[in-house]
Amino acid sequence: MSHEDYLGMRRFPGLDGLRALAATMVIFFHFGGPNWTWLSGWVGVYLFFVLSGFLITTLLLREQDRTGRISLSNFYLRRVFRILPPYLVILGGIIAFVLLRAEFLERGFPRALKYYLTFMNEFFPSTADHAADNFFSGSWTLGIEEKFYLVWPFLLVAIGIGAAKRKFLLVAAAMVVLLAAVPLTSGWTLAGSKVAIYHSTIHYFILAGGCLLAITLHYRRGYALLKPLTHPLAAIPIVAAFGLLQVNLDTVWTASGQNLWWLVAYALLTMLLLIVLVSPGPLQWLLGTAPMRFVGERSYSLYLLQGPVHFVVVQAVPGLAENRTTSGLVVFLVGLAIADLIHRWVEKPLIDVGKRVIAGKEERRERRLAAARPAASPAEPAPIGS
């Protein structure tokens, strides 16, 4: 795949399928029982992190190419209309549910809400009684991502996109150094109580890995380094290595004392996998099929819904209280049905509202710029005989 082909892609359909796999793995890790431990489903959140870093940075870099600038206000408007509506609808639904059951205090919401409403979600488990499940603790990943979204675009603008293009290798090397510093800043292991996984800085470095990949692929010099990996045959060793680590990560993670280097390796293999998925080939086609896209487009709400859906399912069918394949499948299907409603009635309409707000804002900006330009002087007559 040429660099021009890559830059001309307006959508990466294979990445929707990867979102679908990530959300499904997490659900079956939580509710599928021991038959699914081989899948190492807990690490599905790191697929989301690498994906987020890659997609956000790619959109910002392409905006710079298209308009000559990066509008931070437009970026944050897009994030607000994309992230907040499903998040608040699901959180509000949970609160209404526990209030009706007179469990608001029992579920720890008086303390939890100040974390959930400020996107400090990852700090709640260590500061509140996590034994009382409030169905929303899985949202800790949103706290990580929202703080990343708050800081990273500013950094990208601060270093200067033009500077990044001229000094691509320097920028890339600096990010590699940051990625290599993960064990030093997060602690070598997560054994015992030394470092809580929720508070580990490794999440931000894994997000930065996706950003590094986006920067590398965006500029011609960087793309030339990775272009051989876009060949369909290159997918074979990459997919094999990724799959091998995926199904063995839970085992090696425990056996090695929960060494964070395994997560670094997983992030690097995920970055290589993204190259495969944005390139033409069988895997891109498979993960870009309609069923995979359907689940992937609803994966955000599906991920947030897993806790409350599991509780309701168990209340309706007590036999599903024991985590096993049937329990995981029922939670997945019920959650997907509700996520589809949220996608149709909340997510898409509000994204469209955000687009209209941004379009109106840009139109007013253009009018102001046009009004500020000096009036064009009358054209001089052309010389005779020209």
Side-chain angles (χ1 to χ4, degrees), residues 143-167:
I144 299 290
E145 290 199 28
E146 290 309 294
K147 284 186 278 296
F148 180 80
Y149 293 153
L150 188 64
V151 174
W152 172 242
F154 277 106
L155 292 180
L156 200 58
V157 171
I159 64 174
I161 302 302
K165 184 175 183 179
R166 293 190 300 270
K167 303 176 182 178

Side-chain angles (χ1 to χ4, degrees), residues 297-309:
E297 289 170 354
R298 292 149 181 81
S299 59
Y300 172 43
S301 295
L302 176 61
Y303 173 80
L304 292 178
L305 283 164
Q306 59 181 307
V309 166

Side-chain angles (χ1 to χ4, degrees), residues 42-63:
W42 60 273
V43 83
V45 296
Y46 295 103
L47 289 176
F48 282 121
F49 285 159
V50 177
L51 267 172
S52 293
F54 172 76
L55 290 173
I56 289 300
T57 306
T58 296
L59 290 173
L60 291 171
L61 292 173
R62 292 188 177 187
E63 179 186 355

Side-chain angles (χ1 to χ4, degrees), residues 178-219:
L178 287 175
L179 289 169
V182 169
L184 299 178
T185 57
S186 296
W188 285 92
T189 71
L190 295 177
S193 59
K194 182 179 178 183
V195 181
I197 185 65
Y198 295 106
H199 305 162
S200 172
T201 53
I202 192 172
H203 311 306
Y204 297 101
F205 289 111
I206 290 177
L207 279 157
C211 301
L212 172 61
L213 177 64
I215 292 173
T216 304
L217 290 176
H218 187 76
Y219 296 117

Side-chain angles (χ1 to χ4, degrees), residues 230-252:
T230 67
H231 193 283
L233 290 179
I236 297 174
I238 291 174
V239 173
F242 178 85
L244 187 63
L245 182 58
Q246 179 72 59
V247 300
N248 288 284
L249 186 59
D250 199 59
T251 301
V252 298

Side-chain angles (χ1 to χ4, degrees), residues 65-122:
D65 286 351
R66 187 176 64 254
T67 67
R69 68 188 182 100
I70 289 178
S71 172
L72 292 176
S73 61
N74 287 352
F75 171 81
Y76 292 120
L77 280 171
R78 285 193 296 269
R79 289 295 89 198
V80 164
F81 282 98
R82 168 71 177 89
I83 297 295
L84 282 184
Y87 181 89
L88 293 177
V89 164
I90 293 171
L91 178 58
I94 294 172
I95 292 172
F97 179 75
V98 297
L99 284 173
L100 289 173
R101 292 175 58 88
E103 295 179 355
F104 188 78
L105 296 177
E106 179 184 341
R107 298 284 175 180
F109 272 101
R111 283 193 292 179
L113 280 180
K114 65 182 179 183
Y115 296 96
Y116 294 156
L117 294 177
T118 57
F119 285 102
M120 293 292 178
N121 312 49
E122 73 273 27

Side-chain angles (χ1 to χ4, degrees), residues 4 17 47 51 60 67 107 124 140-141 152 195 198 216 221 246 261 286 324 362 372-373 376 384 386:
E4 289 73 20
L47 289 176
L51 267 172
L60 291 171
T67 67
R107 298 284 175 180
F124 174 62
W140 67 271
T141 58
W152 172 242
V195 181
Y198 295 106
T216 304
R221 292 173 64 191
Q246 179 72 59
W261 281 112
L286 178 63
R324 59 184 190 274
E362 288 300 299
R373 295 189 190 105
I384 296 176
S386 59

